[in-house]
Amino acid sequence: MAAPRRQLAVLLTAEAISMLGSRITFVALPWLVLTSTDSALLAGLAGFAEMLPYVLAGLLGGPIVDRVGPRPTAVAADAASVLAVAGIPVLVYCETVSLGVLLALIALAGALRGFGDAAKRALLPRIIAASGMSTERGTTLYDGMSRASTLIGLPLAGMLIAAYGPATVLLFDAASFGVCALLLGGLVRAGSAGVAAGQDEEPGYAAALRSGFRYVREDRLILGIMSMLFMTNMFDQAFATVFVPVWVRDSTHGPAALGMVGTAFGLGAVAGNILYTVLAPRLPRRRTLGICFFLGGPAQLLALALTDRVGVVLATAAIAGALMSTVNPILLASVYRRIPVHMHGRVMSVLIAVSWAGIPFGSFFGGWATDRLGLHTAALVAAIGYLAVTVAPFLFPAWQALDTKRSEPSPGKAVVPV
């Protein structure tokens, strides 16, 4: 395997391992708080404590990623995450530690992960470009790794929690960060340097951050993507961190069932990812995105709202996974083509930060709505909101730019927004 392709394989492998650990924590952390406090609101608060710093760190770290380079930034963040995530079960075992201290450590772990993920998102297009692979195929492979990690990680989390308890299971995530840091630090060389010479006309941190906001503000397609994802991420987070744990708690299936919905979704997503890899060149991007997002996004919420039958919930999750497997590759490839490579860190950090800002509020919304309205009504409200925002690709002209054909950018080529 040629060296550039080998680096892409290493990055995808490292991300798969890190995502596997993160999926385990995604299940274990809210379950730990829910079973410790018997409060859906506090379980949502734990998700808020993790994701708000995640979003802020990703946003503020963008100019640093562009200056220092995405690879060393990712390695440093993953190495520090080992200690932060491993410290959560240590605090849990100290029974005298307050919930506030635990939430503070969860917030630190979220901030480090956000910083590292911002760096990896800036690293990905550079390695794809160096490998000679098309942006769309590279992002589809990346999304396929994420889907496969979800498929494996969620049911594995349920089994590990049932066997060892949620606190101990968090150590698996800490170990995954360590492996990822070693792989990126030892085997990847692309993305080591910062900004290409002469390309950054605004060297100061504040000016670089402002240029990222300005670029996003002037690109109507990116604004539309960012606005829609803010809302859909909020509803998805409520579903995953509150609605599903409450559904499991109120059923007779036990903690192993925490991974059942994710497994069904992951099976559908992996199958859909393989199919989309074959069909992508022949499908219109905007129409494909719009139909799949509108049908697949709210489907699981509607299933929880309208039925208690496990088979219906799982079948719906599989169908939703297949439909949603098209969304990330289309959005990532389109966005990467529109951003100058030397600005990937700061622009992607703004885009991701605002898009993911809905996630911490989703945990809080899910906990509040479940406690006040009950699970079924809360899920129905979220499903209606999801349907309302995913009509955007059909209504607003800016989304037509998804179908615009663009040449693949080289690592030093600027792409001007239209």
Side-chain angles (χ1 to χ4, degrees), residues 90 120 203 254 256 319 334 353 360 370 405 415:
V90 172
K120 292 168 194 171
I319 295 170
S334 299
T370 301
K405 299 295 184 183
V415 182

Side-chain angles (χ1 to χ4, degrees), residues 185-392:
L187 299 176
V188 173
R189 289 293 172 263
S192 297
V195 179
Q199 284 187 308
D200 192 354
E201 72 282 359
E202 297 177 289
Y205 173 86
L209 189 61
R210 285 196 300 271
S211 71
F213 276 100
R214 183 169 61 250
Y215 193 96
V216 168
R217 187 177 64 248
E218 293 172 355
D219 191 305
R220 288 175 294 173
L221 175 61
I222 292 181
L223 272 177
I225 291 171
M226 192 169 63
S227 302
M228 186 172 71
L229 291 181
F230 175 91
M231 298 301 299
T232 59
N233 281 331
M234 183 177 73
F235 298 132
D236 285 335
Q237 182 76 356
F239 173 83
T241 63
V242 179
F243 296 162
V244 171
V246 170
W247 174 70
V248 171
R249 184 195 63 182
D250 294 344
S251 71
T252 59
H253 303 293
L258 284 168
M260 291 173 58
V261 176
T263 301
F265 184 91
L267 284 169
V270 170
N273 183 270
I274 295 171
L275 183 62
Y276 182 69
T277 301
V278 177
L279 298 179
R282 297 188 288 273
L283 294 176
R285 294 186 191 126
R286 182 175 69 94
R287 192 175 303 167
T288 301
L289 173 79
I291 293 172
C292 291
F293 218 163
F294 183 79
L295 296 178
Q300 295 186 92
L301 290 162
L302 287 170
L304 282 187
L306 301 177
T307 181
D308 290 320
R309 297 177 62 181
V310 175
V312 174
V313 172
L314 297 183
T316 303
I319 295 170
L323 291 169
M324 294 296 287
S325 67
T326 66
V327 171
N328 285 342
I330 292 174
L331 293 182
L332 277 176
S334 299
V335 167
Y336 280 143
R337 289 190 184 101
R338 302 177 73 81
I339 304 172
V341 173
H342 70 284
M343 294 181 68
H344 270 153
R346 74 196 76 169
V347 177
M348 286 299 294
S349 69
V350 174
L351 171 60
I352 297 299
V354 177
S355 300
W356 284 48
I359 293 179
F361 294 103
S363 298
F364 184 79
F365 161 77
W368 174 84
T370 301
D371 280 348
R372 291 296 185 93
L373 305 175
L375 174 61
H376 296 298
T377 303
L380 181 60
V381 170
I384 293 171
Y386 215 121
L387 288 168
V389 299
T390 49
V391 298

